[in-house]
Amino acid sequence: MTNQVGIDMNNDSEGDDLLQYNPNRLLDTLIENLRLKNDAALSRALEVAPPVISKIRHHRLPVGASLLIRMHEVSDLSIRDLRYLMGDRRNKFRISDKQFKPKEGETPQSSTSNNNG
């Protein structure tokens, strides 16, 4: 199956470079597809500060979910294709159920507990 970017997602002959996390490939593809000049133009298109793009390029900041969604909205590439471009080939994301459980001894607070009337 070939994605919107023209990468055969079933063919691993692309080499190990597609298997490794590489946000530069994602950013470069976006710049090319959107016909932008540079990272500053990309930051304006994505409506983020230019240092965000720089930090992503230098592996100091991961591509977060909200930025990935914004890239999808601006480029019309699927989230799957965007993730594939940066080397994320997981089929599922697993979130620990511990993140959503209150700590022992804590009671969940409801939104109506702060009403005074």
Side-chain angles (χ1 to χ4, degrees):
M1 169 174 71
T2 303
N3 63 10
Q4 295 172 337
V5 188
I7 297 173
D8 184 359
M9 297 175 77
N10 293 327
N11 185 2
D12 287 336
S13 66
E14 301 282 332
D16 289 337
D17 57 335
L18 285 177
L19 297 175
Q20 296 176 354
Y21 175 72
N22 183 2
N24 293 331
R25 183 176 47 250
L26 171 64
L27 297 175
D28 292 339
T29 301
L30 285 172
I31 288 172
E32 181 181 327
N33 285 358
L34 297 173
R35 294 179 178 87
L36 302 172
K37 282 187 168 186
N38 52 30
D39 286 353
L42 180 61
S43 71
R44 287 190 294 273
L46 296 175
E47 298 176 359
V48 298
V52 170
I53 303 296
S54 177
K55 288 178 183 177
I56 290 171
R57 276 217 187 266
H58 293 96
H59 298 258
R60 286 183 276 149
L61 184 70
V63 178
S66 59
L67 184 58
L68 198 61
I69 291 169
R70 184 69 185 138
M71 289 174 175
H72 162 68
E73 292 171 346
V74 169
S75 70
D76 288 330
L77 294 172
S78 71
I79 298 290
R80 181 178 182 182
D81 289 346
L82 294 169
R83 286 178 47 226
Y84 192 87
L85 282 169
M86 71 176 166
D88 184 357
R89 300 179 81 184
R90 297 175 289 180
N91 290 325
K92 292 184 179 182
F93 293 100
R94 305 208 191 285
I95 298 175
S96 170
D97 60 344
K98 292 180 182 178
Q99 292 176 331
F100 301 106
K101 289 183 181 177
K103 294 180 182 175
E104 283 188 37
E106 286 185 10
T107 57
Q109 296 179 0
S110 65
S111 60
T112 59
S113 65
N114 293 335
N115 290 346
N116 292 332

